[in-house]
Short mmCIF file of all heavy atoms in Angstrom, two decimals:
data_model
loop_
_atom_site.label_atom_id
_atom_site.label_comp_id
_atom_site.label_asym_id
_atom_site.label_seq_id
_atom_site.Cartn_x
_atom_site.Cartn_y
_atom_site.Cartn_z
N ALA A 1552 -13.57 8.14 2.27
CA ALA A 1552 -14.35 7.87 1.06
C ALA A 1552 -13.79 6.59 0.47
O ALA A 1552 -12.83 6.62 -0.31
CB ALA A 1552 -14.24 9.03 0.08
N ASN A 1553 -14.37 5.49 0.87
CA ASN A 1553 -13.81 4.20 0.46
C ASN A 1553 -13.84 4.01 -1.06
O ASN A 1553 -12.96 3.36 -1.62
CB ASN A 1553 -14.55 3.07 1.16
CG ASN A 1553 -14.15 2.94 2.62
OD1 ASN A 1553 -13.07 3.36 3.02
ND2 ASN A 1553 -15.02 2.36 3.43
N ALA A 1554 -14.82 4.59 -1.71
CA ALA A 1554 -14.89 4.47 -3.17
C ALA A 1554 -13.68 5.13 -3.83
O ALA A 1554 -13.29 4.77 -4.95
CB ALA A 1554 -16.18 5.09 -3.68
N LYS A 1555 -13.10 6.10 -3.13
CA LYS A 1555 -11.93 6.80 -3.66
C LYS A 1555 -10.64 6.32 -3.00
O LYS A 1555 -9.57 6.85 -3.29
CB LYS A 1555 -12.08 8.31 -3.45
CG LYS A 1555 -13.23 8.92 -4.22
CD LYS A 1555 -13.26 10.44 -4.01
CE LYS A 1555 -14.40 11.07 -4.81
NZ LYS A 1555 -14.43 12.55 -4.64
N ASN A 1556 -10.78 5.35 -2.08
CA ASN A 1556 -9.59 4.85 -1.38
C ASN A 1556 -8.83 5.99 -0.69
O ASN A 1556 -7.60 6.03 -0.70
CB ASN A 1556 -8.65 4.12 -2.36
CG ASN A 1556 -8.20 2.77 -1.82
OD1 ASN A 1556 -8.85 2.17 -0.97
ND2 ASN A 1556 -7.07 2.30 -2.34
N THR A 1557 -9.60 6.90 -0.11
CA THR A 1557 -9.02 8.14 0.43
C THR A 1557 -9.59 8.43 1.81
O THR A 1557 -10.76 8.17 2.07
CB THR A 1557 -9.31 9.32 -0.52
OG1 THR A 1557 -8.72 9.05 -1.80
CG2 THR A 1557 -8.74 10.62 0.03
N VAL A 1558 -8.73 8.97 2.66
CA VAL A 1558 -9.12 9.45 3.98
C VAL A 1558 -8.83 10.94 4.05
O VAL A 1558 -7.83 11.41 3.49
CB VAL A 1558 -8.36 8.70 5.08
CG1 VAL A 1558 -8.64 9.30 6.44
CG2 VAL A 1558 -8.75 7.24 5.09
N TYR A 1559 -9.71 11.66 4.72
CA TYR A 1559 -9.57 13.11 4.82
C TYR A 1559 -9.42 13.53 6.28
O TYR A 1559 -9.90 12.86 7.19
CB TYR A 1559 -10.80 13.81 4.23
CG TYR A 1559 -11.08 13.45 2.80
CD1 TYR A 1559 -12.04 12.50 2.47
CD2 TYR A 1559 -10.37 14.05 1.77
CE1 TYR A 1559 -12.29 12.15 1.16
CE2 TYR A 1559 -10.61 13.71 0.45
CZ TYR A 1559 -11.57 12.76 0.15
OH TYR A 1559 -11.81 12.43 -1.16
N LEU A 1560 -8.77 14.66 6.47
CA LEU A 1560 -8.69 15.28 7.78
C LEU A 1560 -9.06 16.74 7.63
O LEU A 1560 -8.28 17.52 7.07
CB LEU A 1560 -7.30 15.13 8.39
CG LEU A 1560 -7.14 15.72 9.79
CD1 LEU A 1560 -8.04 14.99 10.79
CD2 LEU A 1560 -5.68 15.65 10.25
N GLN A 1561 -10.26 17.09 8.06
CA GLN A 1561 -10.69 18.48 8.05
C GLN A 1561 -10.23 19.13 9.34
O GLN A 1561 -10.57 18.67 10.43
CB GLN A 1561 -12.21 18.55 7.94
CG GLN A 1561 -12.77 19.96 7.96
CD GLN A 1561 -12.37 20.77 6.75
OE1 GLN A 1561 -12.40 20.26 5.62
NE2 GLN A 1561 -11.99 22.02 6.96
N MET A 1562 -9.47 20.20 9.20
CA MET A 1562 -8.90 20.89 10.36
C MET A 1562 -9.44 22.30 10.41
O MET A 1562 -9.20 23.09 9.49
CB MET A 1562 -7.38 20.89 10.27
CG MET A 1562 -6.76 19.51 10.09
SD MET A 1562 -4.96 19.51 10.16
CE MET A 1562 -4.58 20.49 8.72
N ASN A 1563 -10.19 22.60 11.44
CA ASN A 1563 -10.77 23.92 11.63
C ASN A 1563 -10.19 24.58 12.88
O ASN A 1563 -9.58 23.90 13.72
CB ASN A 1563 -12.29 23.82 11.77
CG ASN A 1563 -12.96 23.24 10.55
OD1 ASN A 1563 -12.50 23.43 9.42
ND2 ASN A 1563 -14.06 22.53 10.75
N SER A 1564 -10.39 25.87 12.98
CA SER A 1564 -9.91 26.62 14.15
C SER A 1564 -8.46 26.31 14.45
O SER A 1564 -8.08 26.04 15.59
CB SER A 1564 -10.78 26.30 15.38
OG SER A 1564 -12.14 26.59 15.13
N LEU A 1565 -7.65 26.35 13.42
CA LEU A 1565 -6.25 25.98 13.58
C LEU A 1565 -5.51 26.94 14.49
O LEU A 1565 -5.80 28.15 14.53
CB LEU A 1565 -5.58 25.92 12.21
CG LEU A 1565 -5.91 24.64 11.41
CD1 LEU A 1565 -5.61 24.83 9.93
CD2 LEU A 1565 -5.15 23.47 11.97
N LYS A 1566 -4.56 26.37 15.21
CA LYS A 1566 -3.74 27.12 16.17
C LYS A 1566 -2.28 26.99 15.77
O LYS A 1566 -1.90 26.02 15.13
CB LYS A 1566 -3.93 26.56 17.57
CG LYS A 1566 -5.37 26.50 18.05
CD LYS A 1566 -5.46 25.81 19.40
CE LYS A 1566 -6.89 25.71 19.89
NZ LYS A 1566 -6.97 25.03 21.22
N PRO A 1567 -1.45 27.95 16.17
CA PRO A 1567 -0.02 27.83 15.86
C PRO A 1567 0.58 26.50 16.35
O PRO A 1567 1.47 25.95 15.69
CB PRO A 1567 0.58 29.02 16.59
CG PRO A 1567 -0.51 30.04 16.58
CD PRO A 1567 -1.77 29.26 16.77
N GLU A 1568 0.07 25.98 17.44
CA GLU A 1568 0.61 24.72 17.96
C GLU A 1568 0.21 23.50 17.12
O GLU A 1568 0.68 22.39 17.37
CB GLU A 1568 0.21 24.50 19.42
CG GLU A 1568 -1.28 24.64 19.68
CD GLU A 1568 -1.63 26.03 20.20
OE1 GLU A 1568 -1.11 27.04 19.66
OE2 GLU A 1568 -2.46 26.11 21.15
N ASP A 1569 -0.63 23.72 16.13
CA ASP A 1569 -0.96 22.64 15.19
C ASP A 1569 0.09 22.52 14.08
O ASP A 1569 0.02 21.60 13.26
CB ASP A 1569 -2.33 22.87 14.55
CG ASP A 1569 -3.47 22.78 15.55
OD1 ASP A 1569 -3.45 21.88 16.40
OD2 ASP A 1569 -4.39 23.61 15.45
N THR A 1570 1.02 23.46 14.05
CA THR A 1570 2.08 23.42 13.04
C THR A 1570 2.89 22.15 13.17
O THR A 1570 3.42 21.84 14.26
CB THR A 1570 2.99 24.65 13.19
OG1 THR A 1570 2.24 25.83 12.89
CG2 THR A 1570 4.18 24.55 12.25
N ALA A 1571 2.97 21.39 12.09
CA ALA A 1571 3.66 20.11 12.11
C ALA A 1571 3.64 19.50 10.72
O ALA A 1571 2.91 19.98 9.83
CB ALA A 1571 2.99 19.15 13.09
N VAL A 1572 4.42 18.46 10.55
CA VAL A 1572 4.28 17.60 9.39
C VAL A 1572 3.26 16.53 9.75
O VAL A 1572 3.39 15.87 10.77
CB VAL A 1572 5.62 16.96 8.99
CG1 VAL A 1572 5.41 16.00 7.82
CG2 VAL A 1572 6.65 18.03 8.64
N TYR A 1573 2.24 16.40 8.92
CA TYR A 1573 1.17 15.45 9.16
C TYR A 1573 1.36 14.21 8.30
O TYR A 1573 1.59 14.32 7.08
CB TYR A 1573 -0.18 16.10 8.86
CG TYR A 1573 -0.62 17.05 9.95
CD1 TYR A 1573 0.02 18.28 10.13
CD2 TYR A 1573 -1.65 16.73 10.83
CE1 TYR A 1573 -0.35 19.15 11.14
CE2 TYR A 1573 -2.04 17.60 11.84
CZ TYR A 1573 -1.37 18.80 11.99
OH TYR A 1573 -1.75 19.67 13.00
N TYR A 1574 1.24 13.06 8.92
CA TYR A 1574 1.44 11.78 8.25
C TYR A 1574 0.16 10.95 8.34
O TYR A 1574 -0.49 10.93 9.39
CB TYR A 1574 2.56 10.99 8.91
CG TYR A 1574 3.91 11.65 8.89
CD1 TYR A 1574 4.31 12.52 9.90
CD2 TYR A 1574 4.81 11.39 7.86
CE1 TYR A 1574 5.55 13.11 9.89
CE2 TYR A 1574 6.06 11.98 7.84
CZ TYR A 1574 6.43 12.84 8.86
OH TYR A 1574 7.67 13.43 8.83
#
Side-chain angles (χ1 to χ4, degrees):
N1553 285 337
K1555 296 183 178 181
N1556 228 23
T1557 300
V1558 173
Y1559 303 99
L1560 182 63
Q1561 178 66 43
M1562 306 186 295
N1563 299 328
S1564 302
L1565 282 162
K1566 305 175 181 180
E1568 52 263 44
D1569 294 319
T1570 295
V1572 177
Y1573 284 72
Y1574 299 88

